Amino acid sequence: MNDYSIIISSLLDNDFYKFTMQNAVIKLFPLAKAKYEFINRGRHSFPKNFAQILKENLDKMAHLKLSNEERIYLEKYCPYLDSSYLDFLNKYQYNPKEVNILQKGKNIRMYIEGLWSRTILWEVPLMAIISELYYRLTESKKISEQKITNITKEKLKIYKKLQVKIGEYGTRRRYSYQVQKWVLKTLTKKGNPFFIGSSNVHLSHIFSIKPIGTQGHEWIMFHAAKYGFNIADRIAMENWLNIYNGNLGIALSDTYTSPIFFKNFNKRLSTLFKGVRHDSGDPIFFAQETIKHYKKFKINPIRKKIIFSDNLDPYKVAYISSFCKKKINTCFGIGTNFTNDVGAPSMKIVIKMVKTLPEEKKKWISVVKLSNVKEKSTGKKNMIFFAKKNLHI
């Protein structure tokens, strides 16, 4: 079993937006608590002893610490993460007691609970471990570096021909750490000037590139629990501006559906944020609405950008980019199609915040994400109903 037990070897093997959100949480909501849950959307069957092997991996993660070299890298490439946060990260260690894993037959249940500022880092590495272990235990494919390099080069040819900016966002559902590393090796060698970076901080460090990302849905879901659904987007954006002063200025648009987001995205915020991220629903309709929104405020859309990040492949990128050309700037965050395109079916798994306890509240509050498509919504049915009613959706 030991050869399964060191999948995550660096504290930075995680998505960048987890660190940017953690920094903001420490500064604004240091006593808030969070609960997360594993959701097996694809109804995958897990092999015998899977939970046990997973736990062995988590126990190994307790020993991970930020190295001096990693801290120097963050200081150089992420200057908006201040020294007080880097001091916190220096002392940070994963606590496996925050994670509870149960296996019943072929089903896995998993819950994470603790201070939000601590538990926020679990989601991405946990998903990466689950994904890699699942393939190691259920697939017998021999994957070579040459094969991965060739597949990545072929995609790069298409993206270069389209002249689109692309980023790699594939940590959480990667086939393996090694596959992601090979993909990034090819992208950094052959991708200029179209490849703009990776969301994985550890691999960005290895290849001396800047990590990319801003915030995730949980940032806005927490604000809804604390301030209400109607103004969650706006206050989440205001708080983000207060922490980052215009850096990392991409707003996430679909936590409570895009129409609600645009209502909150007032002229000031539309001016100060560099653009928006699309993560669900029809991308062309979203692009049209975004352009219309900017024009309403007499903002030239060509000075703004949309980052598309919803289950992309070269065909979708070609379709979206041809529509947006000369109307609004685009960038494409490509995940599973880069890091898990080896012939095995990709996993449909997520880990989502399900409850939060803002410091001034007396009891846990269930959180929901509505998204632009029903299947991407998360949360308890009664809370989803309540949120929709509240927002008149």
Side-chain angles (χ1 to χ4, degrees):
M1 279 193 191
N2 285 347
D3 98 287
Y4 297 132
S5 47
I6 320 179
I7 288 174
I8 304 291
S9 60
S10 162
L11 187 70
L12 297 186
D13 190 358
N14 205 327
D15 276 344
F16 184 51
Y17 76 173
K18 284 291 175 174
F19 299 106
T20 58
M21 286 192 291
Q22 184 182 48
N23 174 43
V25 171
I26 290 162
K27 290 177 169 60
L28 299 177
F29 312 111
L31 300 177
K33 290 183 177 174
K35 288 182 185 179
Y36 298 81
E37 203 172 299
F38 172 67
I39 303 163
N40 183 3
R41 278 185 186 154
R43 301 191 177 174
H44 306 283
S45 296
F46 290 94
K48 200 179 171 188
N49 295 329
F50 191 89
Q52 185 53 42
I53 300 168
L54 188 53
K55 282 175 188 168
E56 287 172 18
N57 262 278
L58 300 203
D59 290 342
K60 290 275 191 293
M61 284 175 70
H63 306 294
L64 298 174
K65 293 199 84 171
L66 189 75
S67 70
N68 285 342
E69 201 187 323
E70 287 172 330
R71 178 168 176 144
I72 291 162
Y73 164 78
L74 292 173
E75 285 169 346
K76 181 181 174 183
Y77 285 87
C78 317
Y80 29 76
L81 297 177
D82 63 13
S83 58
S84 68
Y85 172 64
L86 296 181
D87 290 345
F88 170 89
L89 211 53
N90 262 130
K91 295 185 182 78
Y92 181 90
Q93 281 178 281
Y94 283 106
N95 178 3
K97 289 192 174 85
E98 292 165 348
V99 186
N100 187 14
I101 307 161
L102 309 160
Q103 181 164 3
K104 197 174 178 184
K106 293 181 175 183
N107 290 327
I108 293 284
R109 303 199 74 178
M110 183 160 60
Y111 309 93
I112 303 160
E113 184 181 330
L115 276 174
W116 190 23
S117 60
R118 289 194 44 79
T119 53
I120 196 165
L121 289 192
W122 276 114
E123 175 199 346
V124 176
L126 266 177
M127 283 181 64
I129 294 170
I130 291 166
S131 188
E132 182 158 350
L133 279 182
Y134 179 81
Y135 292 118
R136 283 198 201 177
L137 295 165
T138 63
E139 291 281 337
S140 55
K141 286 182 167 38
K142 287 274 176 280
I143 312 292
S144 70
E145 181 173 358
Q146 195 55 54
K147 185 185 175 183
I148 299 301
T149 304
N150 292 343
I151 291 169
T152 309
K153 275 182 182 170
E154 284 308 306
K155 288 173 189 166
L156 263 179
K157 269 186 208 167
I158 300 168
Y159 296 135
K160 283 183 171 184
K161 203 173 173 184
L162 293 168
Q163 298 202 309
V164 291
K165 296 265 188 264
I166 51 157
E168 182 276 311
Y169 280 25
T171 303
R172 66 189 61 218
R173 283 180 280 265
R174 65 194 182 194
Y175 186 83
S176 68
Y177 168 78
Q178 198 58 60
V179 165
Q180 188 178 18
K181 195 174 178 181
W182 289 334
V183 167
L184 267 175
K185 188 177 172 183
T186 309
L187 290 173
T188 48
K189 264 187 180 176
K190 308 281 182 188
N192 280 341
F194 302 104
F195 173 61
I196 59 155
S198 168
S199 65
N200 186 297
V201 189
H202 162 64
L203 290 169
S204 296
H205 172 220
I206 285 178
F207 292 107
S208 300
I209 55 175
K210 190 177 166 184
I212 53 173
T214 49
Q215 86 259 137
H217 294 99
E218 68 187 282
W219 177 249
I220 300 146
M221 288 156 75
F222 172 84
H223 281 77
K226 190 170 166 71
Y227 303 105
F229 295 111
N230 285 288
I231 55 170
D233 280 305
R234 182 168 57 77
I235 299 181
M237 285 186 272
E238 291 284 1
N239 278 335
W240 198 255
L241 282 174
N242 291 339
I243 296 292
Y244 290 111
N245 301 315
N247 289 306
L248 308 173
I250 299 293
L252 183 55
S253 64
D254 70 333
T255 313
Y256 297 110
T257 74
S258 296
I260 300 300
F261 166 79
F262 285 124
K263 276 183 191 170
N264 279 273
F265 199 39
N266 59 29
K267 186 170 185 177
R268 176 176 176 271
L269 294 169
S270 298
T271 305
L272 292 172
F273 275 82
K274 295 181 180 81
V276 296
R277 177 155 79 91
H278 168 268
D279 197 48
S280 64
D282 182 330
I284 303 301
F285 178 72
F286 178 79
Q288 289 168 326
E289 291 300 297
T290 305
I291 291 163
K292 199 161 77 182
H293 178 82
Y294 281 129
K295 284 181 174 172
K296 180 180 84 180
F297 291 133
K298 302 204 167 23
I299 295 168
N300 185 353
I302 214 73
R303 292 170 64 187
K304 299 292 180 179
K305 74 166 84 162
I306 303 175
I307 295 182
F308 292 92
S309 62
D310 181 23
N311 196 18
L312 298 173
D313 58 37
Y315 307 102
K316 281 189 189 171
V317 171
Y319 169 63
I320 297 165
S321 66
S322 71
F323 174 81
C324 293
K325 209 167 193 154
K326 295 184 178 166
K327 296 187 187 90
I328 191 164
N329 290 309
T330 56
C331 179
F332 298 88
I334 297 155
T336 312
N337 187 256
F338 265 148
T339 61
N340 198 345
D341 186 13
V342 299
S346 59
M347 296 193 83
K348 291 181 170 59
I349 54 171
V350 291
I351 291 172
K352 286 288 172 195
M353 183 194 272
V354 288
K355 286 187 176 181
T356 184
L357 184 62
E359 41 220 84
E360 74 287 354
K361 306 276 184 187
K362 296 286 182 281
K363 61 179 182 129
W364 287 88
I365 299 165
S366 290
V367 296
V368 299
K369 172 190 158 204
L370 294 183
S371 187
N372 288 323
V373 289
K374 199 177 172 184
E375 54 274 21
K376 275 194 154 191
S377 296
T378 60
K380 287 187 173 172
K381 278 181 183 167
N382 61 335
M383 275 304 278
I384 289 175
F385 176 79
F386 175 71
K388 283 184 170 177
K389 196 177 169 187
N390 209 286
L391 294 164
H392 307 293
I393 294 171

